[in-house]
Amino acid sequence: MVKWLYRLFIELTNHPFTSKWLASFTRSKWSRWVIPSYAKVYKVNEEEMEKKLHEYETLQQLFIRSLKKGLRPIDEHPDSVVSPVDAVIEDVGIITDKKEIIVKGKMYSIREMLGDDRIAEKYLHGTFIILYLSPSHYHRIHSPICGEVVKQWELGGKSYPVNRLGLKYGKDPLSKNYRRITELCTNGMHTAIVKVGAMFVNSIELTHEHDYVNKGEEIGYFSFGSTVVLLFEKGAFTLDEQIIPPLEVKMGQRLGFFAQKKKSQ
């Protein structure tokens, strides 16, 4: 019953008109008047922001704000994998031989998430990490590793929320929401960075223009709270022992280590 009511409410509100109206409002000068209350309700850390709160002319500008330089040091170990965002790690696990992941007790298909069975095949028995960004978080996305950009694509349309309720009751938001995917290749191994759109505002913008990205380099931003899913090939990634979900992490913080070379299967 709870699931049915939740989905009914989302379907009634998640209409293209609603999405367009909200996106238009966040970019309008009128949204400036709600910035102080938004920052208070969501406990936005004003001390970290590049600008003073009153200097943001729209809610959109606040969403995609930059931070003061030096606040997010990137772990310097050459083989480390860092968090691409400020977020809460909601889940970590192993991708099954059926190309599925279990998040909050619910099965998600990575074949559907990636939209390609051949690409999904690479990640069998690999590791996944789910990072949720709340409306209060810094919304810019950075590369977790150094690597060559081998493919970028987008999928999906309407979006369910990607918070705990969305993951539990939504219509498979990680594999059906609007999403933009970047696949990197490092030392012959692939990593997928799945950027999942949030309810109403599906805007996910890419900001890098090159075929190679460095660890910690900005690659895009969300226009609202959302989720990043990291997928690693089998044997490519080793999680740090202290990473136990749910766990708040900062961009640049070490999540684990990337293998120096591809292991023979």
Side-chain angles (χ1 to χ4, degrees):
M1 184 65 175
V2 174
K3 181 187 293 186
W4 183 83
L5 289 172
Y6 178 86
R7 288 183 175 176
L8 176 62
F9 172 75
I10 299 302
E11 291 296 343
L12 289 173
T13 55
N14 197 5
H15 187 276
F17 174 79
T18 311
S19 299
K20 289 179 181 178
W21 180 86
L22 185 58
S24 177
F25 173 74
T26 62
R27 293 177 173 87
S28 74
K29 63 180 181 179
W30 305 109
S31 68
R32 183 175 188 172
W33 301 106
V34 304
I35 288 177
S37 58
Y38 178 92
K40 183 177 180 179
V41 168
Y42 288 109
K43 297 181 175 60
V44 174
N45 189 336
E46 297 180 39
E47 295 300 316
E48 293 189 333
M49 301 188 313
E50 187 179 48
K51 300 178 181 179
K52 299 293 184 181
L53 196 64
H54 70 269
E55 295 182 88
Y56 295 97
E57 298 181 355
T58 67
L59 200 53
Q60 163 78 356
Q61 289 183 9
L62 180 65
F63 289 159
I64 64 173
R65 63 189 178 276
S66 295
L67 302 180
K68 294 176 181 176
K69 294 189 182 303
L71 284 181
R72 295 291 183 272
I74 309 303
D75 186 88
E76 296 181 351
H77 192 288
D79 299 322
S80 66
V81 176
V82 302
S83 177
V85 287
D86 283 11
V88 174
I89 296 180
E90 290 287 357
D91 229 327
V92 177
I94 301 299
I95 300 162
T96 73
D97 55 8
K98 294 182 180 180
K99 306 184 186 75
E100 293 174 329
I101 61 177
I102 302 175
V103 183
K104 302 299 178 186
K106 187 173 182 178
M107 303 294 291
Y108 287 91
S109 164
I110 66 160
R111 185 211 62 77
E112 190 171 14
M113 181 188 294
L114 299 174
D116 189 309
D117 195 62
R118 180 183 57 82
I119 295 176
E121 191 78 23
K122 296 183 222 173
Y123 298 99
L124 292 183
H125 307 294
T127 303
F128 73 86
I129 303 177
I130 311 295
L131 299 118
Y132 168 66
L133 292 78
S134 75
S136 66
H137 281 123
Y138 166 65
H139 283 31
R140 292 187 176 264
I141 311 161
H142 301 251
S143 181
I145 55 174
C146 296
E148 179 188 359
V149 178
V150 293
K151 184 176 174 66
Q152 293 198 103
W153 67 106
E154 58 185 327
L155 298 164
K158 293 194 297 185
S159 291
Y160 273 75
V162 286
N163 54 18
R164 288 185 177 89
L165 285 175
L167 292 175
K168 185 174 182 180
Y169 298 121
K171 289 185 177 179
D172 299 340
L174 298 182
S175 54
K176 292 183 178 178
N177 275 17
Y178 171 73
R179 53 209 181 276
R180 297 190 78 162
I181 304 159
T182 300
E183 190 173 44
L184 304 179
C185 184
T186 306
N187 300 334
M189 294 168 287
H190 294 86
T191 300
I193 307 168
V194 185
K195 301 165 284 293
V196 184
M199 184 181 175
F200 298 130
V201 185
N202 268 337
S203 177
I204 303 171
E205 303 295 335
L206 301 182
T207 56
H208 69 89
E209 301 178 348
H210 309 292
D211 295 332
Y212 187 90
V213 292
N214 290 302
K215 181 170 59 178
E217 180 180 346
E218 184 184 306
I219 60 174
Y221 60 81
F222 290 115
S223 289
F224 206 62
S226 198
T227 290
V228 172
V229 182
L230 298 180
L231 304 175
F232 300 94
E233 285 191 45
K234 179 183 178 182
F237 173 74
T238 302
L239 187 72
D240 268 9
E241 292 182 358
Q242 68 268 24
I243 304 295
I244 303 174
L247 179 69
E248 181 95 23
V249 293
K250 300 294 186 184
M251 192 284 291
Q253 181 177 335
R254 192 176 72 210
L255 302 179
F257 292 95
F258 203 78
Q260 294 184 8
K261 61 180 180 179
K262 190 169 185 176
K263 296 179 181 179
S264 57
Q265 303 294 317

